[in-house]
Amino acid sequence: MSQTPSAILVVGPSWVGDMVMAQPLFSELRRQYPDCAIDVLAPAWCRPLLSRMPEVREALALPFDHGDLKLGERRALGKSLRGQYQQSYVLPNSLKSALVPWAAKIPVRTGWRGEMRYGLLNDVRALDKERYPLMVQRFVALALPQDAPMPLLDEITAPHLEVDDASREKAMAAHGLSMARPVLGLCPGAEFGPAKRWPEQHYAAVAQHWIDHGGQVWIFGSGKDQPVASDIVSALSEDARAHASVLAGKTSLEEAVDLLSATNAVVSNDSGLMHIAAALTRPLVAVYGSTSPGFTPPLGDRVAVVRLGLECSPCFERECPLGHLNCLKQLPPSQVIDALQQLETADA
């Protein structure tokens, strides 16, 4: 760029985990341009995440459903932003995601080569997947010159969501929660599909162990995860159930972020909540089955990844193509309990 931008527009991703992975890009932009305003255009549900990223000035709601083209509406939105930004970064690879910065006539529009976006983007990068194996590297690399060395993980600022005490206490009061006993957060859902979900009876075994040792369990997720959360509680002993709280489907994303920040440790499938827990620097055990931590691992110093690494995994399928789900069913609760204890020892 010929001059330092005073304002940058980032077109953000549409998935929870991907948005968390985008924060290191914001950190790199803030490092390069300390006085520059960074706004993020993304679906409205992203606001609870973006409001907890200190690098971001404003979250601009993208008023379209996922998959909607709506050329006229996108062009009108872009026109409304004209003259406000000198640089834009487009993180999704779709054609439609590049329309708003183009219509806004932002002078420099950067992104990876995607769906025929020549003209819409004028700083088009050719992605070398071997050079940038991780999603977070691909995001951060957009802020660097094309010939810059590959950003290594230890050179990248990890995601770091910030939650204030008042917001956390408000969420706890709203759901009748306290921290009288150490809290283990469980995130047993996965929007991607059942091949990402560790069995509920395994989660129940971990929960029972935690409660037996003086703790309590908070179970997070969406409304779709309520049946799984209820099954976990039902599998506990009668005494243990008094120390288990089902929050799945009962919290907003904003509340879920705040409540996760109050946990002493978290066990999660490969999901958006997993990335949020890591960004909150919670001791985290991430359980992998059909997917791999080789592209979007949870980033942080207090993370343990557990997986069996069977010959048939990762398959990246929504449902087990072999019908047995052994990559998760055969992963014992004891392995997760051991990982939790090792994290606890490391923190001591």
Side-chain angles (χ1 to χ4, degrees), residues 216-297:
Q216 61 176 314
V217 170
W218 299 351
I219 307 176
F220 294 86
S222 68
K224 296 178 183 178
D225 302 319
Q226 283 184 334
V228 171
S230 296
D231 287 345
I232 292 172
V233 175
S234 296
L236 299 175
S237 67
E238 187 173 349
D239 290 341
R241 290 174 198 164
H243 302 294
S245 299
V246 173
L247 302 174
K250 299 178 181 179
T251 66
S252 63
L253 179 58
E254 182 177 30
E255 289 176 321
V257 173
D258 293 346
L259 293 173
L260 275 169
S261 75
T263 60
N264 296 89
V266 176
V267 177
S268 178
N269 298 328
D270 176 14
S271 67
L273 290 176
M274 174 192 75
H275 290 289
I276 290 174
L280 291 167
T281 66
R282 298 298 83 206
L284 167 69
V285 178
V287 181
Y288 277 79
S290 67
T291 56
S292 165
F295 182 46
T296 55

Side-chain angles (χ1 to χ4, degrees), residues 56-304:
V56 176
R57 177 181 68 174
E58 187 175 0
L60 305 177
L62 190 64
F64 312 114
D65 291 332
H66 184 68
D68 283 351
L69 185 57
K70 295 191 175 179
L71 290 172
E73 291 88 337
R74 290 177 190 271
R75 186 168 184 173
L77 176 59
K79 285 183 176 180
S80 72
L81 299 176
R82 286 181 181 177
Q84 298 183 39
Y85 303 98
Q86 297 77 48
Q87 168 80 54
S88 65
Y89 295 90
V90 180
L91 302 191
N93 290 325
S94 63
L95 182 148
K96 63 180 180 293
S97 63
L99 288 170
V100 172
W102 168 77
K105 295 186 176 180
I106 298 173
V108 182
R109 305 182 298 276
T110 301
W112 295 111
R113 184 186 300 158
E115 296 177 348
M116 298 299 294
R117 305 197 292 182
Y118 293 104
L120 297 180
L121 301 178
N122 55 16
D123 176 19
V124 182
R125 310 287 182 88
L127 176 61
D128 183 340
K129 294 183 179 180
E130 292 186 2
R131 186 182 185 195
Y132 304 115
L134 300 177
M135 176 183 286
V136 67
Q137 292 174 320
R138 298 175 187 182
F139 286 164
V140 172
L142 290 175
L144 304 174
Q146 294 201 46
D147 57 353
M150 179 186 72
L152 301 176
L153 267 183
D154 59 4
E155 299 170 339
I156 293 174
T157 302
H160 49 284
L161 301 177
E162 296 184 356
V163 174
D164 64 72
D165 292 341
S167 181
R168 183 188 302 111
E169 290 170 4
K170 180 180 178 182
M172 290 178 61
H175 295 277
L177 301 171
S178 78
M179 297 175 64
R181 294 163 66 102
V183 182
L184 176 66
L186 300 182
C187 306
E191 288 293 319
F192 181 76
K196 269 191 174 185
R197 293 200 293 264
W198 198 40
E200 51 267 39
Q201 62 267 28
H202 291 352
Y203 270 104
V206 174
Q208 184 73 52
H209 181 273
W210 185 271
I211 293 169
D212 287 346
H213 287 77
Q216 61 176 314
V217 170
W218 299 351
I219 307 176
F220 294 86
S222 68
K224 296 178 183 178
D225 302 319
Q226 283 184 334
V228 171
S230 296
D231 287 345
I232 292 172
V233 175
S234 296
L236 299 175
S237 67
E238 187 173 349
D239 290 341
R241 290 174 198 164
H243 302 294
S245 299
V246 173
L247 302 174
K250 299 178 181 179
T251 66
S252 63
L253 179 58
E254 182 177 30
E255 289 176 321
V257 173
D258 293 346
L259 293 173
L260 275 169
S261 75
T263 60
N264 296 89
V266 176
V267 177
S268 178
N269 298 328
D270 176 14
S271 67
L273 290 176
M274 174 192 75
H275 290 289
I276 290 174
L280 291 167
T281 66
R282 298 298 83 206
L284 167 69
V285 178
V287 181
Y288 277 79
S290 67
T291 56
S292 165
F295 182 46
T296 55
L299 301 179
D301 296 329
R302 310 169 80 189
V303 173

